Amino acid sequence: MSSLPLRGIRVLDLSTVLAAPVTATLLGDFGAEVVKVEEPGRGDFTRGRAAEPGGRSLQWLQEGRNKKSITLDLRQPRGRELLRRLIPNFDIVVTNYRPPTMERWGLAPDDLRALHPAGVFVFITGYGLTGPYRDRGSFDRIASAYSGLTYVSGEPDRPPVRSGFSVIDFMSAYLSAFAAMVALREREVNGGEGQIVDLALYEAGFRAAEDAYLAYSAHGEIRERLGNKNPYIVPASDFSTQDNRIVSLHAGTDTLFARLCDVMGQPRLAQDPRFHTRHARSANQDALYALIEDWTATYSADDVVKLLTDAGVPASPVMSMADIAVDPHYRDRGTLVAVDDEEFGVVDMVAPLPHLSGTPGRIRTLGPRLGQHTDEILSRELGMSDDELRRLRADNTI
């Protein structure tokens, strides 16, 4: 079995719901030792669907994997003192508490840099550490609204909608894990110091806005809701099939469009003046989409996808979780992995991603019990005795 590439890297997960904890999960998947600080008696937000407070939910099983759990009440001065003593023992600290909270606790960026100059401190906050909105709170839904993502999502004649998944939380986690590695490389390879990584939650969504802001900046154009259509790539949309399913296809280049026309049995459409160029297809997309819908309506979703993919046209059914569970590609590629948990039995979860050929990620442990490693970490890192731990537990500090 290959070694894990981040072995020896130590991460303190000082966060809850959802981008910051997932950042730590990603690092843990590839070998970092991750210690998660949780509130006594309650724990991380992702435990919330458990049968009892502080229990283990299915979501926690996944997002708490490869982590050790300790409990510290950071509202108490003694809890914050213990945290400050812990921090210098870690390479990376990930947090998403709002700036006013961290300042009140004496854990603002400057405080942390003074405490641990070599540390990489990842702050994922609603609006960043600077700017007039820095003190505001946020969640994925709010960040989606503020980033412009919600505005462009939905049908043109309906109110905007948020994505069905917490996409900005996870995009923020990917960016933050990348940034932590960049900062760590600067320290380890180039002899640099520690750094503050400052990511506002909305910035991950805004970075994904393609050229929408450029179009407004240069021409005053505001991208509006277009449903499943793309204003510049036609045809690229979703279509109903004979068996009442939906298929997504993309034939937005001239070559792909010609292949689509052949599959539809209408090769002359590729030379039709309404459709023969990318610009023409964009200007006449409603007429083109009506023709494609008429064709897909005569086949099942599986048949449509086979005909298109056999012709080299990218297509997929619109998949539910039930579809994914029986899809052979997910299983064969290893996107899903079966794990055996003492509480839940055998369940499937998302594998460590992305796939590395030489040093792939690994699920070593599943989400732990609340505070399972408190005694281990405090005694090992801070040299605390059993008597000291009992006293801390008696006054609910841990």
Side-chain angles (χ1 to χ4, degrees):
M1 185 175 291
S2 63
S3 61
L4 290 164
L6 299 185
R7 66 191 183 282
I9 302 300
R10 310 193 68 204
V11 178
L12 190 65
D13 179 358
L14 184 62
S15 63
T16 187
V17 64
L18 185 60
V22 173
T23 300
T25 303
L26 296 173
L27 299 174
D29 282 351
F30 288 91
E33 179 188 3
V34 180
V35 174
K36 181 169 186 64
V37 177
E38 300 190 72
E39 182 180 354
R42 297 178 62 181
D44 189 83
F45 182 87
T46 56
R47 294 179 180 270
R49 295 181 186 175
E52 58 187 25
R56 300 168 73 246
S57 67
L58 282 169
Q59 187 177 21
W60 171 252
L61 207 68
Q62 177 171 282
E63 304 311 344
R65 71 191 187 194
N66 296 327
K67 297 183 181 182
K68 295 180 177 180
S69 170
I70 69 170
T71 51
L72 279 180
D73 186 352
L74 299 181
R75 295 180 179 84
Q76 295 191 40
R78 179 64 168 142
R80 297 194 293 275
E81 177 194 343
L82 292 172
L83 177 64
R84 279 190 283 269
R85 290 173 59 192
L86 280 173
I87 284 172
N89 297 305
F90 291 85
D91 300 287
I92 299 169
V93 178
V94 183
T95 187
N96 61 352
Y97 287 104
R98 287 194 293 163
T101 301
M102 297 298 280
E103 290 164 1
R104 188 170 65 251
W105 288 349
L107 297 170
D110 288 344
D111 300 319
L112 294 174
R113 290 294 301 276
L115 186 66
H116 185 21
V120 173
F121 297 97
V122 180
F123 283 81
I124 308 173
T125 57
Y127 294 88
L129 298 177
T130 61
Y133 301 162
R134 66 184 289 275
D135 292 351
R136 295 183 181 183
S138 185
F139 291 99
D140 181 277
R141 175 181 294 274
I142 308 306
S144 180
Y146 189 68
S147 71
L149 177 59
T150 302
Y151 184 87
V152 298
S153 300
E155 297 296 330
D157 58 345
R158 302 289 298 276
V161 296
R162 171 190 171 269
S163 169
F165 295 137
S166 297
V167 293
I168 288 187
D169 275 332
F170 281 84
M171 286 193 294
S172 297
Y174 307 147
L175 277 176
S176 297
F178 165 73
M181 290 295 95
V182 170
L184 202 60
R185 187 183 191 280
E186 169 65 13
R187 189 189 81 179
E188 298 296 313
V189 176
N190 298 327
E193 297 181 344
Q195 295 192 52
I196 300 294
V197 175
D198 175 9
L199 179 69
L201 204 59
Y202 75 87
E203 289 173 330
F206 186 63
R207 184 63 182 87
E210 302 171 0
D211 64 344
Y213 187 76
L214 282 167
Y216 177 76
S217 177
H219 306 299
E221 297 175 4
I222 299 176
R223 184 177 296 193
E224 301 289 347
R225 291 181 294 285
L226 295 169
N228 287 314
K229 298 176 182 177
N230 185 306
Y232 309 113
I233 303 174
V234 179
S237 190
D238 299 342
F239 301 90
S240 299
T241 59
Q242 189 181 54
D243 53 352
N244 295 316
R245 296 176 69 194
I246 299 173
V247 167
S248 183
L249 68 85
H250 188 308
T253 68
D254 292 342
T255 300
L256 290 175
F257 181 60
R259 293 175 185 172
L260 172 63
C261 294
D262 288 342
V263 173
M264 292 171 58
Q266 302 185 59
R268 292 184 179 180
L269 277 181
Q271 302 306 318
D272 188 311
R274 297 173 298 169
F275 312 131
H276 77 293
T277 67
R278 179 176 172 181
H279 179 76
R281 290 193 295 275
S282 182
N284 297 284
Q285 59 184 278
D286 289 343
L288 178 56
Y289 283 139
L291 293 171
I292 298 172
E293 187 86 42
D294 288 344
W295 174 71
T296 61
T298 63
Y299 294 92
S300 70
D302 289 342
D303 286 342
V304 169
V305 171
K306 186 176 189 313
L307 287 166
L308 291 172
T309 54
D310 285 351
V313 178
S316 171
V318 174
M319 305 278 278
S320 70
M321 290 299 116
D323 297 324
I324 288 171
V326 297
D327 186 84
H329 186 79
Y330 270 84
R331 190 73 57 184
D332 185 74
R333 178 168 164 75
T335 308
L336 294 173
V337 60
V339 297
D340 191 358
D341 181 69
E342 60 184 4
E343 184 175 348
F344 292 98
V346 177
V347 294
D348 289 341
M349 67 171 56
V350 179
L353 298 173
H355 307 283
L356 271 64
S357 62
T359 54
R362 192 183 312 150
I363 299 173
R364 307 181 302 284
T365 60
L366 300 174
R369 298 186 306 276
L370 179 60
Q372 180 177 338
H373 305 93
T374 301
D375 290 5
E376 171 195 335
I377 298 299
L378 294 185
S379 60
R380 184 183 74 192
E381 303 298 330
L382 305 183
M384 305 198 77
S385 67
D386 291 344
D387 284 342
E388 289 176 300
L389 292 169
R390 276 194 292 270
R391 288 196 294 272
L392 289 170
R393 195 161 277 115
D395 64 15
N396 298 316
T397 301
I398 62 174

